[in-house]
Amino acid sequence: RRDTDGVRCNAMQILGDSLLKSSHSSPLAEEALPVLEANLALCRRYWPQDEASILHAQSSLGTCFACLGRKEEALVVYREIHARHVAIYGVSHKQSILSGNNLCAFMCRLKLWDESRSLLRDELLPAAERSLGNDHELTLALNQNLAASLVGPRERTRDDVLVAESIMQDTLKRQRRVSGPAHPATCAAEGVLSTIQTYLACIDSA
């Protein structure tokens, strides 16, 4: 089929995504990479107005880069995705907040604590609280990432840890009310709070 055939491009996206989902080791991710790169290039060339398809293709490519350990390239893609969502939908749209949360979580993986914390405090959390509410699952996830960005740095202070503890105590209370005590998100929040309290105990005993 010609490159401009939408069916072919859809098939390439499905193939790339399938390889990614099966990629418990890097060889399958290596196979997925050229497929995903070609699909993104075709989407941009022939359907530049189809933002949803381009963003989907970018997201898959970013995930593939991350699976292959090409973290800086993945970060560039995740930044582009969030910037594009904001440009299309505005900062308060759920998709913009979601892509921002994904970006912050990845920045925490790369130990870019200050940048993640600034994006969360200055843009994402105010937007989420305004448009989604304090009890929304995405707002709770943002708060959890904020707590992680506060305690992640080795040079964290006792005040940083206390702020993170307060954030997670409130987040856990809301998560239990919204999702129930046995929900995986609740269990994850309990684990984060427990880790933060361990950090605090270590500081106090030093």
Side-chain angles (χ1 to χ4, degrees):
R1 291 180 180 269
R2 295 182 302 116
D3 285 348
T4 52
D5 190 330
V7 175
R8 181 174 184 270
C9 286
N10 286 337
M12 290 176 68
Q13 182 68 61
I14 292 169
L15 173 60
D17 286 344
S18 297
L19 288 168
L20 265 187
K21 289 176 182 177
S22 304
S23 62
H24 299 298
S25 58
S26 60
L28 281 177
E30 290 281 6
E31 290 180 29
L33 181 59
V35 176
L36 295 170
E37 288 178 322
N39 181 59
L40 177 57
L42 290 176
C43 286
R44 283 174 165 165
R45 180 175 180 182
Y46 294 112
W47 295 282
Q49 75 286 354
D50 189 351
E51 296 284 359
S53 293
I54 292 173
L55 286 167
H56 183 182
Q58 281 185 294
S59 178
S60 297
L61 182 60
T63 301
C64 190
F65 280 140
C67 286
L68 292 169
R70 294 167 62 170
K71 296 176 182 178
E72 294 302 325
E73 290 165 285
L75 181 61
V76 169
V77 174
Y78 291 141
R79 288 189 200 277
E80 289 178 355
I81 291 170
H82 178 57
R84 195 60 195 150
H85 274 120
V86 171
I88 296 168
Y89 304 116
V91 296
S92 296
H93 192 278
K94 184 179 177 181
Q95 283 301 120
S96 300
I97 298 168
L98 177 60
S99 65
N101 184 57
N102 293 339
L103 172 59
C104 286
F106 194 71
M107 286 195 292
C108 284
R109 286 176 59 185
L110 299 185
K111 300 183 179 181
L112 300 174
W113 311 114
D114 290 344
E115 189 174 355
S116 177
R117 187 163 58 249
S118 294
L119 181 57
L120 286 160
R121 279 179 166 167
D122 298 342
E123 178 185 314
L124 297 175
L125 272 166
E129 290 167 358
R130 182 170 59 248
S131 62
L132 302 176
N134 290 328
D135 289 341
H136 192 278
E137 60 183 357
L138 191 46
T139 309
L140 297 174
L142 290 167
N143 274 297
Q144 189 162 308
N145 277 330
L146 177 58
S149 73
L150 284 164
V151 300
R154 288 189 175 183
E155 63 274 17
R156 58 182 173 264
T157 66
R158 188 175 190 277
D159 285 345
D160 291 332
V161 180
L162 285 172
V163 171
E165 181 185 41
S166 177
I167 290 170
M168 284 310 303
Q169 285 172 336
D170 181 69
T171 298
L172 179 56
K173 179 179 68 175
R174 293 176 186 277
Q175 193 75 64
R176 282 174 174 157
R177 185 172 66 245
V178 171
S179 305
H183 193 277
T186 305
C187 296
E190 289 173 341
V192 173
L193 178 58
S194 177
T195 299
I196 290 170
Q197 290 173 334
T198 299
Y199 288 156
L200 186 59
C202 289
I203 291 172
D204 288 342
S205 63

